């Protein structure tokens, strides 16, 4: 294993631990804004993965890592939007659920 690869794996493992500690300390009321922020971050991951997969000089390992990044980024974006939408539905009143602004009763 090369020194650069070992260093990158170490940074990844440390980022996982720090991310877990930070996310586990978030109060319940802040989960919806946090999900919106992570949707933006995963959009950047998706774009980076697409750039890596489309690069001309990328070797097989880089293309596989880019493909995995695109797949996981897409899953996280779609799941994040679904969870955010579901949580925002909880804040609507009972009479407002399922209504659109154009379908108000007079």
């Amino acid at each position: 294993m090369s020194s650069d690869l070992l260093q990158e794996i170490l940074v990844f493992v440390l980022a996982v631990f720090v991310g877990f500690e930070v996310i586990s300390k978030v109060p319940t009321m802040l989960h919806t804004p946090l999900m919106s922020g992570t949707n933006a971050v995963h959009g950047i991951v998706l774009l980076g993965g697409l750039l890596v997969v489309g690069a001309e000089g990328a070797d097989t390992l880089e293309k596989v890592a880019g493909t995995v990044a695109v797949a996981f980024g897409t899953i996280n974006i779609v799941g994040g939007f679904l969870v955010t939408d579901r949580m925002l539905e909880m804040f609507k009143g009972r009479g407002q659920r399922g209504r659109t602004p154009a379908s108000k009763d007079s």
Side-chain angles (χ1 to χ4, degrees), residues 6-80:
L6 190 59
Q7 186 178 12
E8 290 172 358
I9 291 173
L10 177 67
V11 169
F12 176 74
V13 169
L14 289 175
V16 168
F17 284 123
V18 169
F20 179 76
E21 285 298 316
V22 169
I23 298 299
S24 66
K25 304 287 190 256
V26 173
T28 306
M29 292 300 293
L30 294 178
H31 278 248
T32 300
L34 182 66
M35 287 299 296
S36 298
T38 57
N39 284 339
V41 170
H42 287 112
I44 295 168
V45 168
L46 183 63
L47 181 60
L50 288 171
L51 289 173
V52 168
V53 170
E56 286 185 30
D59 63 0
T60 305
L61 179 62
E62 290 172 345
K63 289 194 181 270
V64 168
T67 304
V68 170
V70 168
F72 285 164
T74 303
I75 291 168
N76 283 323
I77 289 171
V78 172

Side-chain angles (χ1 to χ4, degrees), residues 85-93 97:
D85 186 53
R86 188 172 180 185
M87 289 185 74
L88 290 175
E89 280 289 321
M90 293 174 19
F91 290 107
K92 291 182 180 179
R97 290 189 182 155

